Amino acid sequence: MRQGGASWAWAAGAAALATAFLAVARRPRSRRNVAAGVACLGLGVLLVSGMWQVQRIACCWAELRAARIPRDSSELKGALAAAVAEARRLAAQGATAAPLPQEAAFETLARVVRSGTRTPGVERGVAVLEPDGAPFAWAGRHRLVPVRDTAELRTVITPFYVALEARRQTPGGGSVVGSVLLDAAPAVLDRSRALSAQFEATHDIALRFYGPGLAPRAEVVFDYCLRAAVDHPTKCDPGGTLFSVAPVTPSEAVAYGAARQAATGRARGALALVLLLLFLAAPAGGWRWLVTLAATGSAVLAFRDSVPLGDWFSPTTSARPLPLGLTASAGTLTAGSIIALVAAATLWRRGLQRRAWNVGAAGLLALAAPYVVRYFGRGIEPPAGGVGFGLWLGWEVAVAAAAMALVLVAAALVRGPAEPRRASWVPAAACAWAVGAAVVGLWLWYPNGAWPEWYTFVWLPALVGVLTPAPRAWAGLGIATVAGTAAALITWGAALEGRLALADRDAMGLDTATDVRAVSLLERMGQAPPAPPPETPGELYAWWRASPLAADSYPASLAVWHRAGEPTAEIRLAGVDLPPSLVAAFVRSPETARGPRVERLDRSPGRHYLLVAPLAGGEVLTVGVGPRTRLIPAARVARFLEGGTGLQPPYQIVLSPPAPPPRPSARVIWTRTGWSVRGERRIGGPPGGVRHVHVLVDLRQPWGLVVRGTLVVGIDIALLAACWLASLAVAGQWHPRVPPPFALLRTSY
């Protein structure tokens, strides 16, 4: 795979260099051609140099790794000294706020934090404590709660954070604590403002902090001294070590991925500039179409693996394939639909003669449009965490763009050779009909079937109405309104059906049937335990986050145990029904010495699984997971580490206490009541008992849905207008004009 990526990059670089030569050599030569050629040359150099750096890591990582370790530690010592000086400054200047009233003390401490320049960008905070240790005033951010202490300077090391604290006593017997964040565990989401994260971003060297005397016998370990030894000035006096830090170089795979990602990021920006300049330099017509297609394909490939747009281009949110073997996603469907819209706008402006086959083809396209919208809309598969407005809007725009492309092609076939000068009442009536049909559809939607089959034909009058020849502004407004309204309704229904599917899977997973995937992944984790064994909850969490079970959002509880059954490190990420006494009994079992095993336990709710795996040092690793259900809430530490999603829960689920029969039911029964959908199912419980599973999915109120629909229809209108301008630019009939103030500045002295 690495060689394939390298070959692709070398080929792309060669193609960019060839394009640069052709652009510059083209006659007559213009400034646009020269600019496009220079940009292509720069892109080729970026691709070749980036892949050369990546290939160096692949072939010569041992030498590069040795060169990265800071032998003299001058940069590291300077960064740590600046952190110590900043903590002392915060404590010293914060002491001036202690005698002030509380409101004035808050303002003073805020100014103290803002004025720090010794460690720019590093997270810091200051707090004034009363004599009993209660906080009086504070500013900045505190990952750890400041406590009373007599040490003037100390480090606080927890499984997730390393903070440096400096103290000053106040006249009233209290204290002022200035803190600087030295390190945050890799599992913490917002660790970018830690000193170690900034040092790693600058020098590509990670830092691992240890308490005094706890650092391993590594090749390079630096001790930060408060007092140097008398007989050895280069060593710390016993008891004078504040902390120890070991530089850690990344693995070859991590360094390879980071270098490739950096090269890809630089190439994306250069490619966007190259395509823009090539578009401006290319002749109108076919050459600009070629650049447009290349730009669309490049955008899909470039943003498919982008973090901000990952869900939009992810094929996991769709079950509908595209033509030519392409995998559907909101991003790919939008890109293809935009190209179709630009082509349809070009066809509309040509003004075809109205013939029988034109009218017949337009009728077929109008009939196909509702089914196309329904085809792509019903294929939406929302993530398990719920659908945010961004993802919902992305799918609505994708479906609306596909429908607008079909309807605009149909309108172009029946428009005639001349564009009408006046608009009739038919497009306005078609828009009103579409809005009414969408509002009625909110009440007609029902679970296990969505809308009746006859409801599709309700949209035909609106589609036929927008095919009536009209001026371009009225035609575009009518097409965007009808297609956007239908797409908004279909996307709303698809998101609801996806939420129902998630709730149905949750309720069906509460049975005692074996979860084959969970068992398989736990067995695989037992065959490849972490090396070296995790010693802290932070290391346990970092190892768990890299596992497929964490990617599938399984509720879990992890621990490392002594062979005698005492935990040394533990982190509970969810409220799984696995008490410590029960897990300790499995750890002490004689079967533990025989190798890793997965225990199946019928707990509440559903079946739980426990991996018991002996480690190389004699400890035992346990990983307990439960069924993927919202009945098992995430622990507070998990919510803190993973951050809030900001999404409305897709459904609510409640499990009743055991009761006598009736017998368990095989499926969930869904019924709509007003603006909510309720699901009921009976599952087996303790011997002689049955539990009822109650699921509730909120449909939201109709007024809010109408407001959201109006917003997205406006976005669809803007998209169609942008595609129309793009078609004019491709045909060479429209050129962006420089605003008069900028033109004046450009020509002035």
Side-chain angles (χ1 to χ4, degrees):
M1 183 177 294
R2 292 185 177 183
Q3 293 297 329
S7 301
W8 179 89
W10 288 113
L17 294 176
T19 306
F21 174 77
L22 293 176
V24 175
R26 181 176 177 269
R27 302 290 181 175
R29 186 177 302 168
S30 65
R31 287 181 297 179
R32 293 182 180 180
N33 294 348
V34 174
V38 172
C40 290
L41 180 62
L43 175 61
V45 171
L46 275 178
L47 289 173
V48 173
S49 62
M51 192 49 58
W52 179 72
Q53 295 175 0
V54 171
Q55 288 300 104
R56 283 194 63 200
I57 294 177
C59 71
C60 313
W61 173 241
E63 293 80 359
L64 293 175
R65 180 179 180 274
R68 291 188 180 190
I69 300 178
R71 296 291 179 180
D72 59 354
S73 70
S74 58
E75 296 90 353
L76 178 58
K77 288 182 178 179
L80 296 176
V84 172
E86 178 65 16
R88 285 173 168 164
R89 183 196 70 84
L90 290 170
Q93 296 185 8
T96 60
L100 301 176
Q102 190 173 33
E103 184 176 352
F106 274 103
E107 297 177 356
T108 302
L109 294 180
R111 288 195 298 269
V112 169
V113 172
R114 288 195 301 267
S115 62
T117 57
R118 292 181 174 86
T119 55
V122 177
E123 186 175 295
R124 52 191 181 269
V126 60
V128 177
L129 304 181
E130 295 180 345
D132 59 353
F136 174 73
W138 56 89
R141 185 175 183 183
H142 299 267
R143 302 288 182 115
L144 306 169
V145 178
V147 297
R148 295 185 61 189
D149 197 281
T150 58
E152 185 267 340
L153 194 66
R154 72 162 190 165
T155 53
V156 183
I157 301 178
T158 70
F160 298 105
Y161 301 110
V162 178
L164 175 67
E165 294 183 348
R167 281 175 172 76
R168 292 289 186 274
Q169 299 298 321
T170 60
S175 60
V176 180
V177 182
S179 61
V180 176
L181 182 64
L182 296 181
D183 188 28
V188 178
L189 293 179
D190 53 344
R191 66 180 300 264
S192 59
R193 295 191 61 192
L195 176 69
S196 60
Q198 297 196 358
F199 190 87
E200 182 177 1
T202 304
H203 303 281
D204 207 9
I205 297 291
L207 302 177
R208 180 168 292 183
F209 291 82
Y210 300 92
L214 299 179
R217 297 180 179 271
E219 182 180 358
V220 180
V221 174
F222 302 112
D223 295 327
Y224 192 88
C225 302
L226 292 175
R227 299 182 305 274
V230 178
D231 51 347
H232 294 283
T234 59
K235 295 184 179 180
C236 293
D237 181 51
T241 302
L242 183 61
F243 56 83
S244 300
V245 58
V248 180
T249 57
S251 63
E252 180 181 355
V254 173
Y256 183 91
R260 186 165 183 170
Q261 184 178 5
T264 302
R266 293 191 296 267
R268 284 175 181 169
L271 180 61
L273 178 62
V274 165
L275 291 172
L276 176 60
L277 293 176
L278 286 177
F279 182 86
L280 296 176
W287 286 104
R288 286 195 176 180
W289 268 112
L290 181 62
V291 176
T292 302
L293 294 176
T296 304
S298 301
V300 171
L301 294 176
F303 294 119
R304 184 174 55 188
D305 300 326
S306 178
V307 174
L309 301 176
D311 289 340
W312 199 42
F313 281 91
S314 174
T316 59
T317 59
S318 174
R320 301 301 193 191
L322 289 173
L324 303 178
L326 299 177
T327 303
S329 67
T332 53
L333 181 59
T334 303
S337 301
I338 287 176
I339 293 297
L341 272 175
V342 174
T346 304
L347 181 65
W348 194 92
R349 287 196 312 275
R350 290 185 61 182
L352 301 178
Q353 291 288 341
R354 192 181 299 119
R355 293 186 174 89
W357 71 269
N358 292 29
V359 178
L364 292 178
L365 290 175
L367 288 174
Y371 293 97
V372 169
V373 171
R374 194 163 186 173
Y375 173 79
F376 287 112
R378 295 293 292 273
I380 297 175
E381 295 183 353
V387 180
F389 180 72
L391 182 58
W392 183 87
L393 179 61
W395 265 114
E396 195 281 336
V397 170
V399 175
M404 286 190 295
L406 287 178
V407 179
L408 187 57
V409 171
L413 294 176
V414 299
R415 197 208 77 173
E419 178 182 340
R421 295 184 178 181
R422 293 184 179 181
S424 64
W425 57 270
V426 178
C431 294
W433 184 280
V435 172
V439 172
V440 172
L442 296 177
W443 274 267
L444 290 178
W445 184 90
Y446 200 81
N448 302 323
W451 292 277
E453 289 296 332
W454 56 264
Y455 179 70
T456 303
F457 299 98
V458 174
W459 289 87
L460 291 181
L463 293 171
V464 174
V466 295
L467 296 183
T468 304
R472 67 186 66 180
W474 286 99
L477 182 63
I479 291 172
T481 301
V482 173
T485 305
L489 180 66
I490 290 293
T491 308
W492 171 78
L496 279 181
E497 292 179 7
R499 292 162 64 189
L500 292 180
L502 293 175
D504 194 274
R505 186 184 66 183
D506 189 335
M508 297 298 294
L510 297 177
D511 282 333
T512 57
T514 301
D515 188 342
V516 179
R517 177 171 176 78
V519 173
S520 174
L521 293 177
L522 284 174
E523 290 176 347
R524 191 183 306 172
M525 295 171 67
Q527 296 297 329
E535 300 177 355
T536 63
E539 295 177 352
L540 265 177
Y541 181 70
W543 174 73
W544 166 256
R545 289 292 299 172
S547 66
L549 285 171
D552 289 345
S553 302
Y554 275 91
S557 175
L558 299 87
V560 176
W561 304 73
H562 284 303
R563 189 65 180 84
E566 296 295 331
T568 61
E570 182 180 10
I571 180 169
R572 295 183 66 87
L573 300 175
V576 292
D577 188 16
L578 295 173
S581 58
L582 177 63
V583 179
F586 283 107
V587 171
R588 292 191 296 265
S589 172
E591 295 185 7
T592 303
R594 301 175 186 173
R597 69 186 191 276
V598 177
E599 299 285 349
R600 297 166 175 82
L601 306 171
D602 291 335
R603 308 293 295 178
S604 177
R607 175 166 288 184
H608 289 51
Y609 303 94
L610 179 66
L611 168 66
V612 184
L615 300 177
E619 294 88 358
V620 179
L621 171 69
T622 61
V623 179
V625 299
R628 290 180 292 178
T629 172
R630 297 185 64 84
L631 288 172
I632 301 179
R636 183 161 50 185
V637 64
R639 294 195 299 269
F640 172 73
L641 291 173
E642 297 175 3
T645 59
L647 303 180
Q648 181 182 7
Y651 57 89
Q652 300 175 11
I653 184 169
V654 179
L655 188 63
S656 71
R663 294 179 300 175
S665 56
R667 63 186 183 89
V668 181
I669 307 299
W670 295 100
T671 56
R672 176 173 177 175
T673 305
W675 291 97
S676 63
V677 178
R678 300 180 181 275
E680 301 287 340
R681 187 190 176 216
R682 298 185 300 272
I683 62 173
V690 172
R691 290 189 171 193
H692 288 258
V693 181
H694 306 274
V695 186
L696 177 65
V697 178
D698 185 17
L699 303 184
R700 303 192 180 106
Q701 294 300 315
W703 175 246
L705 298 176
V706 171
V707 171
R708 174 180 285 194
T710 304
L711 172 64
V712 298
V713 168
I715 295 176
D716 296 334
I717 294 173
L719 175 63
L720 182 56
C723 292
W724 190 278
L725 292 178
S727 69
L728 292 175
V730 170
Q733 301 176 9
W734 176 75
H735 301 280
R737 297 180 179 179
V738 179
F742 293 99
L744 180 62
L745 289 175
R746 184 184 62 181
T747 56
S748 67
Y749 177 76

